Amino acid sequence: MNILGIETSCDETSLAIVGKGKKIRAHTIFSQSSIHAPYAGVVPELASRAHVQVLLTLYKNLNKKHSFNAIAATQGPGLKGSLMVGMSFAKSISYACNFPFYAIDHIKAHVYAIQLEKEIAYPYMVLVVSGGHTLLAVAQSPLTLEVISGSIDDACGEAFDKVADFLGLSYPGGPAIEKLARTGDPYAYCFPSPWLRNHTFSYSGLKTAVVLQNHRFLAKGARESAQNIAASFQYAALSAVVNASFYEIQKKKFHTLVVCGGVAANEYLRYLFMSRNKHNIAIEFPSQELCTDNAAMIAGLAYWYAEGNLQASFDASVYSREYNYLKHKFHQ
Ligand code: KG4
Ligand code: ZN
């Protein structure tokens, strides 16, 4: 079974064809970051419009060389307008070609991404760190995710984007902060940890602390380096998810941790995980292309929806939030 996956949850328009949940036969990603860069963040209306503009062309190019017999699109969480573009497109093709249609959860797809490159036995612990999500969970199967903790406000990647904007860096902020931080001192400032005592995350306090610190030395007329702020922020932002992951994995006695989502592309995060791994935990990261938003993870996971007979109906709508988060169980 070859499934065409469509991902339009945020600012990447991506299409992929994946065979039997494993073999990536075609994959294309159009990034909108240059469209959103002047605004230092994703502008939902512009994102929806850009998806509309490029989707058909990307599809035609893919369809020239590859065939498929089922179609899947991201249903949520994400920007509703953007999700609707991909979902409507996929439904049209499904209707016209009489192919089954699957509506896929974006977070479960991030968690599944690693399986496209490596066989990881279930269950495993997973840390999802992206622009929209920060959560720790147990992946029981491709379709069942048990959420342990999440952020009560900003996501980790979102904090990178906002601090980067504050420091006058380019969008997306994650790679820009990582680059600047390479020449800074991560211990220059002791910023508050975003991992709270009740085992949830909160990135808004860290963001405020960075802003206050900057004002303080500007007021003193000090020529403080942005490198030190970037490095200290990055250290605090990433130490939190690293420490929380090790805490939970030991508590739950797992031996494998998968780290995914856009922030997982960060090399310093990988370094922190490796250097603090005192208990021989197998820590797995997808390749950079499969860390950030992509359709291969959507088409790959869709195979398991098909196996579970979980075809979506044409009245399936989109959702913007991690809708089952409070229930702590995330079943299909
Ligand atoms: O997974 P993703 O493409 O989209 C969401 O589902 O949110 O993640 C995008 C996020 C952005 O906030 C971006 O700044 C962040 O991932 N990011 C990084 C790095 N590369 C991307 N954050 C830190 N370091 C990086 N190298
Ligand atoms: Zn994502």
Side-chain angles (χ1 to χ4, degrees):
M1 179 181 234
N2 286 322
I3 304 184
L4 169 66
I6 298 179
E7 158 61 35
T8 61
S9 69
C10 193
D11 61 344
E12 264 93 24
T13 318
S14 179
L15 281 83
I17 296 176
V18 174
K20 289 193 175 159
K22 274 283 170 203
K23 176 104 187 78
I24 302 176
R25 302 195 187 284
H27 195 193
T28 170
I29 303 174
F30 170 79
S31 169
Q32 303 177 359
S33 50
S34 62
I35 296 171
H36 302 290
Y39 309 95
V42 180
V43 182
E45 173 73 16
L46 296 182
S48 311
R49 284 166 190 260
H51 289 307
V52 171
Q53 275 167 353
V54 300
L55 198 45
L56 186 58
T57 309
L58 295 179
Y59 171 73
K60 280 183 176 168
N61 288 341
L62 209 74
N63 205 27
K64 267 185 214 153
K65 295 191 204 134
H66 304 275
S67 62
F68 59 93
N69 44 18
I71 184 154
T74 309
Q75 185 178 20
L79 302 171
K80 281 190 174 171
S82 292
L83 290 163
M84 277 190 244
V85 176
M87 283 278 282
S88 305
F89 191 86
K91 285 179 192 176
S92 314
I93 294 172
S94 163
Y95 182 69
C97 306
N98 203 17
F99 288 161
F101 165 59
Y102 303 99
I104 309 298
D105 183 83
H106 183 81
I107 296 177
K108 288 181 189 170
H110 269 302
V111 172
Y112 184 77
I114 187 88
Q115 302 284 356
L116 294 166
E117 298 178 318
K118 211 169 177 180
E119 197 78 40
I120 309 278
Y122 290 93
Y124 52 83
M125 278 278 292
V126 62
L127 169 70
V128 185
V129 261
S130 71
H133 319 282
T134 306
L135 57 89
L136 267 164
V138 175
Q140 294 286 6
S141 73
L143 298 181
T144 308
L145 201 60
E146 286 179 14
V147 178
I148 298 167
S149 63
S151 175
I152 55 168
D153 43 51
D154 292 1
C156 183
E158 190 181 356
F160 271 84
D161 294 334
K162 288 178 177 165
V163 167
D165 179 40
F166 178 72
L167 294 176
L169 304 175
S170 59
Y171 175 83
I177 295 240
E178 182 179 8
K179 192 166 167 224
L180 186 65
R182 275 189 208 127
T183 50
D185 174 7
Y187 311 114
Y189 302 103
C190 185
F191 288 133
S193 169
W195 189 36
L196 307 182
R197 274 166 192 234
N198 65 0
H199 297 172
T200 57
F201 300 99
S202 166
Y203 277 89
S204 63
L206 173 60
K207 218 173 44 185
T208 309
V210 171
V211 172
L212 289 177
Q213 185 59 49
N214 204 39
H215 285 336
R216 232 170 267 141
F217 61 64
L218 283 182
K220 276 195 268 164
R223 287 168 54 96
E224 186 53 49
S225 70
Q227 289 97 302
N228 282 350
I229 295 205
S232 302
F233 159 76
Q234 178 174 255
Y235 179 80
L238 300 182
S239 280
V241 288
V242 172
N243 293 342
S245 301
F246 282 128
Y247 174 83
E248 292 295 350
I249 201 164
Q250 275 165 253
K251 202 166 102 184
K252 296 210 175 284
K253 301 193 169 32
F254 281 97
H255 302 290
T256 307
L257 173 72
V258 169
V259 187
C260 58
V263 182
N266 185 296
E267 293 292 339
Y268 190 66
L269 177 68
R270 294 174 185 225
Y271 160 77
L272 286 178
F273 265 119
M274 296 312 159
S275 62
R276 293 182 188 179
N277 187 2
K278 305 275 183 271
H279 297 275
N280 233 356
I281 308 289
I283 305 174
E284 308 284 354
F285 295 85
S287 61
Q288 302 246 345
E289 191 180 59
L290 295 185
C291 280
T292 45
D293 286 349
N294 67 86
M297 65 185 191
I298 303 298
L301 180 60
Y303 172 77
W304 295 99
Y305 280 64
E307 285 285 287
N309 239 343
L310 295 167
Q311 219 170 303
S313 69
F314 283 151
D315 56 13
S317 192
V318 300
Y319 52 88
S320 57
R321 309 287 303 171
E322 299 158 13
Y323 70 109
N324 257 340
Y325 174 67
L326 287 178
K327 284 192 212 153
H328 278 238
K329 283 260 179 191
F330 208 359
H331 291 293
Q332 204 59 47

